[in-house]
Amino acid sequence: MILPWTDHPWEYSVITAPTRRRRALVLALAVLGATSLAACTAGAGADGKRPRSSAAPADPASRPDLLRFYHQKLDWRPCGDHRCASLTVPMDYSRPGDGKTFVLPVAKAVTAVTGKRVGSLVLNPGGPGERGVRLIRDGVAEDIGRGVRERFDIVSFDPRGVGASKPALTCTTTDPTESNESNESKESAESAESADGEEAAVVPLHPRTASERADALASARETAAGCRAASGPLLPHVGTDDAARDLDVLRAALGERRLTYVGWSYGTSLGTSYAEQFPRRVRAMVLDGAVDPSLDWRQRMLGQATGFRKAVAEYAETCADTVGDACPGTTPEEIRALIDRLLERTGREPLPVDDSAYGLDAPALISALSLSMYTPEAQWQALSEALVAADGGNGTRLAALAAGEEETQDPDAEASGEPAEADPSEGAAESGTDGVPEDNAEAALIAINCRDVPHPRDARAYWDALAPAEKAAGVYGTTGVTSELVCADLPAGPGRPHRVTAEGVPPVLVVGTAGDPATPYGEAVSLARQFPGGMLLSLDAPGHTGYGRSACVDGKVEAYLISLTKVRPGTTCTA
């Protein structure tokens, strides 16, 4: 996710933005941490299990008021090398006849071979807020094994409120037609000065004083107010349970009797919700980078913050093994000292950033470090070079990492010096919605997480969490806590932490990476145990998610997708 520049450009990017999937499965990542993952997608009974709803029939597809949605046919049209269509779903499943709908863009890579075709493989790249149509457009099908491609067409979609969904979420009322120059001028002026004309204070990693906490709370409330003003009518309808119902409508529109699905990170929350609501409609389900729905907001945040702290420590210890001479120090001690030095320096005054009046502050530095832990093999070199530049006084490269801008649209084209070719599907399937930025991932992340995961309304609960978070995860913990504040002022759904109830679901394959900072390995272990017949496939490596990073993992995942081959208990792969 590329977070837009705001009055405080990195305030909500701390451990929240995913790197983008650019021609590799490994980079379709989910957002967690600072605004905790949306996984609590259903209410829990007294035993912590998800109760069945007495209001809904066992088979929603049989409801007369839903037939027009379940019986729709997708009108596929060419869009670049792929095919695109639109799926219409009710905005409110309790009132599907009120005329209010979401129209979701769908994209398909037609890869299945005649005579071998099993059906469609539906992917979700995570987030919440990542755009499935972009995943297809960026060539994800090329990175999936030939055996899977021969048997499945590869499909994804922009979930309700996300990307080119109509309507789509936004947390700003800024006119998207304003020029970049005008917006940048306004943002620079507002970020450089406070309301009374004085320079804005440096954002602390741990707000300790009453004044610092008041500023943090006011900033969170301002963001929440923007979301309510710009997207108020949508906020009650963007939860993961409803998105999972959309997934079932998509299954029917694709002509599939049962769903074959791969979800990464937040996509595991979507898959889990689908399996709970439609257990007998699952053919095969891979949940990679798993989210445990039994954890509350504080447990989730602490687990992830601790994961990032450990991952950065691992970077200092093993940098030389991964990137060699590019490391910002010759010993782990030197690297740790450099990071500590930069944290102290940016805590006093932001580092200069080219073409920005705001600069790189301490929360932005935490964000750059955290985002660089998702795929060490692809990101540690850029991080190392950016840290060296920052130590020399220039924060521009770290700012780019914090904003998720370190990757190029087409690395091959850049290397050859040729401009990247425009994809016709960009305009056909991903054009912006009126009043909504082309990339609304930040708004979607906030709205969906806050809808799915119950959060305290009283700010005292967040202040009480600061000291334990600092003890467990240092600055990664305290920034995680303060970034959760926005949810105190946004609509929450009926969800509660619960253990999975999915009676009748076939064996689900859960992939867990031992050094995963964003979705800690323990959550994968727990989720696999919660599914009846659940299977755990472990990857002994650092980084987020496993499918696409290990030939061993890829082989076992794809054998399961093709032939439903079970994974033996205790199976562990290496990168």
Side-chain angles (χ1 to χ4, degrees):
M1 176 175 71
I2 309 172
L3 292 179
W5 289 82
T6 63
D7 292 349
H8 301 286
W10 292 282
E11 186 171 350
Y12 295 104
S13 68
V14 182
I15 323 179
T16 66
T19 31
R20 295 153 290 158
R21 238 178 224 280
R22 298 294 183 196
R23 310 192 52 84
L25 292 174
V26 66
L27 293 180
L29 305 176
V31 166
L32 314 173
T35 48
S36 65
L37 254 178
C40 305
T41 56
D47 60 358
K49 294 183 178 180
R50 177 187 179 129
R52 290 185 178 273
S53 170
S54 59
D59 184 358
S62 68
R63 283 174 48 181
D65 54 358
L66 289 177
L67 289 180
R68 74 181 184 95
F69 300 104
Y70 270 93
H71 288 178
Q72 68 187 294
K73 302 296 182 184
L74 294 173
D75 181 17
W76 295 107
R77 63 192 185 281
C79 53
D81 295 330
H82 313 111
R83 295 183 184 177
C84 297
S86 296
L87 180 77
T88 301
V89 296
M91 183 171 290
D92 186 346
Y93 275 93
S94 68
R95 302 174 60 192
D98 65 2
K100 297 178 181 179
T101 62
F102 283 101
V103 179
L104 310 180
V106 184
K108 173 172 66 173
V110 181
T111 56
V113 174
T114 302
K116 291 187 177 182
R117 189 180 189 276
V118 173
S120 299
L121 170 61
V122 180
L123 311 178
N124 179 273
E130 285 296 284
R131 303 168 69 177
V133 168
R134 175 178 291 171
L135 184 70
I136 299 296
R137 186 200 72 200
D138 285 351
V140 69
E142 298 171 16
D143 299 294
I144 292 175
R146 178 179 176 182
V148 173
R149 284 185 282 123
E150 287 181 343
R151 290 165 176 83
F152 296 91
D153 295 323
I154 312 301
V155 177
S156 193
F157 67 107
D158 289 1
R160 54 174 53 212
V162 172
S165 159
K166 296 185 180 180
L169 291 158
T170 179
C171 288
T172 177
T173 55
T174 302
D175 182 351
T177 63
E178 289 183 15
S179 69
N180 289 337
E181 291 80 4
S182 171
N183 286 335
E184 288 171 2
S185 266
K186 179 179 177 183
E187 287 161 1
S188 295
E190 290 176 342
S191 62
E193 296 186 357
S194 62
D196 58 6
E198 297 179 357
E199 286 190 6
V202 175
V203 179
L205 295 176
H206 185 161
R208 300 177 187 276
T209 68
S211 175
E212 289 173 343
R213 291 180 178 184
D215 287 346
L217 184 58
S219 181
R221 285 176 171 169
E222 182 181 1
T223 298
C227 294
R228 292 196 306 271
S231 298
L234 303 186
L235 297 179
H237 304 295
V238 294
T240 298
D241 267 0
D242 282 337
R245 299 188 74 170
D246 298 343
L247 183 56
D248 197 54
V249 175
L250 175 61
R251 172 203 57 77
L254 291 168
E256 305 295 344
R257 187 173 66 87
R258 293 190 297 163
L259 177 70
T260 303
Y261 175 84
V262 175
W264 290 269
S265 217
Y266 164 78
T268 70
S269 291
L270 180 61
T272 296
S273 181
Y274 185 91
E276 290 189 293
Q277 295 185 76
F278 309 101
R280 290 176 173 80
R281 297 236 183 93
V282 175
R283 175 190 169 272
M285 179 171 285
V286 178
L287 305 179
D288 185 4
V291 180
D292 182 354
S294 70
L295 303 180
D296 64 23
W297 76 273
R298 185 163 163 171
Q299 292 169 318
R300 200 178 303 280
M301 178 276 301
L302 282 175
Q304 190 188 57
T306 302
F308 279 108
R309 178 185 61 78
K310 290 179 178 178
V312 174
E314 179 75 5
Y315 162 72
E317 290 291 332
T318 64
C319 178
D321 295 335
T322 304
V323 299
D325 293 341
C327 290
T330 58
T331 67
E333 291 75 21
E334 286 185 7
I335 297 174
R336 286 193 293 268
L338 184 151
I339 292 173
D340 290 344
R341 186 163 63 245
L342 288 175
L343 284 170
E344 192 276 333
R345 183 175 178 180
T346 55
R348 286 186 284 105
E349 182 179 6
L351 285 175
V353 172
D354 294 349
D355 301 321
S356 170
Y358 192 80
L360 180 97
D361 61 8
L365 173 57
I366 294 293
S367 182
L369 288 166
S370 300
L371 292 177
S372 299
M373 297 301 110
Y374 281 88
T375 50
E377 64 273 20
Q379 296 176 289
W380 280 7
Q381 171 116 9
L383 172 64
S384 298
E385 294 169 352
L387 287 171
V388 171
D391 199 36
N394 191 324
T396 303
R397 298 186 71 171
L398 280 176
L401 294 178
E405 295 173 348
E406 75 279 14
E407 297 173 74
T408 60
Q409 289 290 330
D410 189 339
D412 296 334
E414 182 182 57
S416 67
E418 297 294 329
E421 181 180 353
D423 188 337
S425 66
E426 176 74 14
E430 297 198 273
S431 57
T433 305
D434 290 344
V436 177
E438 182 181 354
D439 188 340
N440 71 335
E442 181 182 18
L445 181 151
I446 293 170
I448 297 170
N449 280 340
C450 295
R451 177 69 182 170
D452 280 358
V453 183
H455 280 73
R457 296 298 183 190
D458 187 347
R460 182 178 297 276
Y462 301 89
W463 310 143
D464 289 345
L466 281 170
E470 183 175 51
K471 182 178 180 180
V475 293
Y476 303 93
T478 56
T479 52
V481 171
T482 54
S483 292
E484 298 280 353
L485 274 168
V486 66
C487 290
D489 278 10
L490 285 175
R496 293 295 182 272
H498 68 281
R499 292 185 64 79
V500 173
T501 300
E503 182 180 350
V505 73
V508 169
L509 178 57
V510 179
V511 181
T513 301
D516 195 326
T519 49
Y521 177 69
E523 296 194 38
V525 175
S526 176
L527 186 63
R529 289 173 178 168
Q530 291 176 47
F531 274 106
M535 302 175 292
L536 175 65
L537 173 59
S538 301
L539 174 62
D540 186 10
H544 182 44
T545 71
Y547 183 32
R549 300 179 60 210
S550 160
C552 171
V553 170
D554 295 354
K556 295 185 184 305
V557 165
E558 293 175 358
Y560 166 72
L561 291 172
I562 295 168
S563 305
L564 304 180
T565 304
K566 292 185 177 181
V567 173
R568 294 180 179 178
T571 299
T572 300
C573 293
T574 57

